[in-house]
Amino acid sequence: MILSVMGLIDSVTAAFESPSPSDRPDDGSKRAYWCDDCNNRIRDVDINGEPVCPDCGDEMRFERSTGRDCAC
């Protein structure tokens, strides 16, 4: 009984875990742009042209963080 409950818990946990960075395809993203006022983040591969916030229209700042699972 305990083993089946543990197996169920492990299955549910695995279903909700995000893939590790090595499991994700490399789409070329190296950075992200942020709007500090609106808390918007747009990855560099999702921007065409100048990085401006879609909500307020202000220029977004560039940020790159290494060693994490996102380009943020």
Side-chain angles (χ1 to χ4, degrees), residues 27-38:
D27 61 2
S29 179
K30 302 293 182 213
R31 58 189 175 198
Y33 293 95
W34 287 85
C35 177
D36 293 315
D37 293 332
C38 300

Side-chain angles (χ1 to χ4, degrees), residues 12-70:
V12 171
T13 301
F16 287 104
E17 288 179 344
S18 64
S20 69
S22 62
D23 294 341
R24 294 185 189 143
D26 183 13
D27 61 2
S29 179
K30 302 293 182 213
R31 58 189 175 198
Y33 293 95
W34 287 85
C35 177
D36 293 315
D37 293 332
C38 300
N39 289 325
N40 281 331
R41 173 186 170 268
I42 302 176
R43 295 172 56 229
D44 62 335
V45 293
D46 297 330
I47 286 185
N48 293 322
E50 294 297 314
V52 293
C53 178
D55 291 339
C56 69
D58 285 347
E59 185 176 340
M60 299 175 82
R61 72 178 167 87
F62 162 78
E63 186 169 307
R64 178 178 180 166
S65 180
T66 58
R68 294 178 24 192
D69 65 348
C70 66

